[in-house]
Amino acid sequence: MKEDKENCIFCEIIEGRSPVSIVYEDDKIIVFPTIEPVTASHMLIVPKIHAPYLADVDEETTLHIIKIARKVSEAIRKSKYQCEGINWFLADGEAAEQEVFHFHFHVYPRFKGDGFGFKYDRSKNFIRTTRQDLDHIANEIKNLL
Ligand code: ZN
């Protein structure tokens, strides 16, 4: 299955079986520039344990990833690479365009004219929402927290 540890490119990197250019590493995570960057200095933050989805990553590691993402963002802003803004991006599940099924968190610089963007056809899903709709949505999610 696509979620299996066998043939997982990130596990290969973590286990030293594939080359990597390490930016940061500790007992929980590894940070490296992706081979398919949106823009130069596009980083991936990857937990060392094979965890296909966000739900498979424990809370402590998730918080650690966010903490390191903040530091990596600051470093990118100080670097020589063009950076007018930063995107953090997480694809959790195939419908969200996850392609490697070992959880990873993207941090990449953005600038005007970089060619990257999210496409969204508002005619497909756009529904004018009322306050009542928003209250209903808020209650649904609140009850599941
Ligand atoms: Zn893996």
Side-chain angles (χ1 to χ4, degrees), residues 94-114:
E94 209 158 1
E97 301 191 22
Q98 183 174 3
E99 292 175 345
V100 175
F101 293 89
H102 179 137
F103 177 90
H104 54 290
F105 192 93
H106 299 257
V107 179
Y108 50 91
R110 300 292 310 277
F111 48 88
K112 282 196 175 83
D114 64 18

Side-chain angles (χ1 to χ4, degrees), residues 8 11 50 102:
C8 172
C11 283
H50 181 76
H102 179 137

Side-chain angles (χ1 to χ4, degrees), residues 3-12 14-15 46-52 100-103:
E3 296 95 348
D4 288 349
K5 185 174 164 47
E6 290 73 37
N7 304 316
C8 172
I9 181 64
F10 293 159
C11 283
E12 281 184 24
I14 291 158
E15 292 163 9
V46 180
K48 285 190 167 172
I49 292 171
H50 181 76
V100 175
F101 293 89
H102 179 137
F103 177 90

Side-chain angles (χ1 to χ4, degrees), residues 1-139:
M1 279 173 59
K2 63 182 183 283
E3 296 95 348
D4 288 349
K5 185 174 164 47
E6 290 73 37
N7 304 316
C8 172
I9 181 64
F10 293 159
C11 283
E12 281 184 24
I13 286 171
I14 291 158
E15 292 163 9
R17 293 183 283 121
S18 283
V20 65
S21 302
I22 297 172
V23 168
Y24 175 85
E25 183 176 19
D26 60 30
D27 59 329
K28 288 190 179 344
I29 62 166
I30 185 168
V31 181
F32 54 88
T34 177
I35 58 168
E36 294 180 334
V38 165
T39 51
S41 76
H42 177 164
M43 299 293 158
L44 299 180
I45 305 176
V46 180
K48 285 190 167 172
I49 292 171
H50 181 76
Y53 300 105
L54 176 60
D56 302 315
V57 181
D58 64 75
E59 186 176 290
E60 185 187 341
T61 303
T62 305
L63 294 173
H64 186 56
I65 287 168
I66 297 298
K67 184 178 161 190
I68 298 303
R70 186 182 163 96
K71 285 180 185 275
V72 168
S73 298
E74 288 171 12
I76 290 171
R77 281 191 181 274
K78 287 184 214 162
S79 77
K80 68 179 184 180
Y81 300 106
Q82 191 170 1
C83 178
E84 296 168 5
I86 297 272
N87 269 153
W88 287 5
F89 184 73
L90 164 63
D92 188 42
E94 209 158 1
E97 301 191 22
Q98 183 174 3
E99 292 175 345
V100 175
F101 293 89
H102 179 137
F103 177 90
H104 54 290
F105 192 93
H106 299 257
V107 179
Y108 50 91
R110 300 292 310 277
F111 48 88
K112 282 196 175 83
D114 64 18
F116 185 80
F118 294 101
K119 273 194 344 192
Y120 176 53
D121 180 357
R122 290 181 71 89
S123 69
K124 282 195 170 176
N125 290 313
F126 182 73
I127 304 161
R128 182 148 313 273
T129 48
T130 63
R131 179 54 50 199
Q132 191 179 6
D133 296 330
L134 296 173
D135 286 345
H136 180 79
I137 292 165
N139 280 327

